[in-house]
């Protein structure tokens, strides 16, 4: 695992930030959205710290994680999963754009349409950059 120590410090930062958001909501400085965000940050940070502790103690687990990070097949599957997620998002958002418009929810329709537009624009920019690089 690259930059193991740095990742531990980042997880501790997220844990502290999450705790601060929860505390600020309890004393009335923030609304419940931020306490939910804080609780989520704390949960993820704790899970990551547990994972890092296991990585540092268990040599079998460390070898498994390191191998998975370097494996070409795993990288291919990961990239393919990202591509599928992008395709599914664009199609679902396009369908939702039309469905929300038909249902009279113009604001939601515009939001979904903007999401499709942003994804298509990001795809186009990425394609131009990658086509010059490769």
């Amino acid at each position: 695992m690259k930059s193991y120590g740095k990742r531990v410090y980042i997880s501790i930062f997220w844990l502290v930030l999450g705790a601060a958001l929860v505390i600020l909501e309890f004393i009335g400085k923030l609304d419940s959205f931020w306490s939910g965000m804080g609780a989520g940050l704390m949960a993820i940070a704790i899970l990551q710290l547990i994972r890092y502790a296991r990585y540092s103690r268990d040599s079998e687990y460390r070898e498994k994680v390191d191998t998975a990070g370097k494996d070409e097949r795993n990288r291919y599957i990961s990239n393919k999963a990202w591509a599928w997620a992008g395709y599914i998002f664009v199609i679902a958002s396009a369908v939702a754009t039309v469905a929300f418009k038909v249902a009279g929810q113009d604001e939601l329709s515009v939001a979904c349409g903007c999401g499709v537009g942003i994804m298509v624009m990001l795809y186009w920019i990425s394609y131009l950059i990658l086509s010059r690089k490769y």
Side-chain angles (χ1 to χ4, degrees), residues 4-119:
Y4 168 74
K6 183 179 177 182
R7 290 180 183 207
V8 170
Y9 291 124
I10 291 172
S11 291
I12 291 170
F13 167 75
W14 291 124
L15 181 64
V16 171
L17 179 63
L21 289 173
V22 170
I23 291 168
L24 286 171
E25 192 270 331
F26 280 125
I27 62 173
K29 298 291 183 185
L30 296 174
D31 61 20
S32 62
F33 170 82
W34 294 107
S35 67
M37 177 73 74
L41 286 173
M42 288 180 2
I44 296 300
I46 290 169
L47 291 173
Q48 287 294 333
L49 288 170
I50 291 169
R51 181 175 170 225
Y52 299 145
R54 183 176 177 199
Y55 181 85
S56 68
R57 291 186 192 130
D58 188 352
S59 61
E60 231 177 83
Y61 178 73
R62 184 179 322 124
E63 183 179 332
K64 180 182 170 185
V65 168
D66 290 343
T67 301
K70 297 175 186 173
D71 184 38
E72 289 181 22
R73 178 180 176 272
N74 193 33
R75 286 184 184 182
Y76 173 78
I77 292 170
S78 177
N79 288 336
K80 202 66 154 165
W82 271 110
W84 282 22
Y87 298 146
I88 292 167
F89 174 81
V90 169
I91 291 168
S93 293
V95 169
T97 300
V98 174
F100 283 133
K101 186 66 176 176
V102 169
Q105 299 290 326
D106 292 339
E107 292 174 1
L108 294 174
S109 177
V110 169
C112 288
C114 287
V116 171
I118 289 169
M119 284 295 290

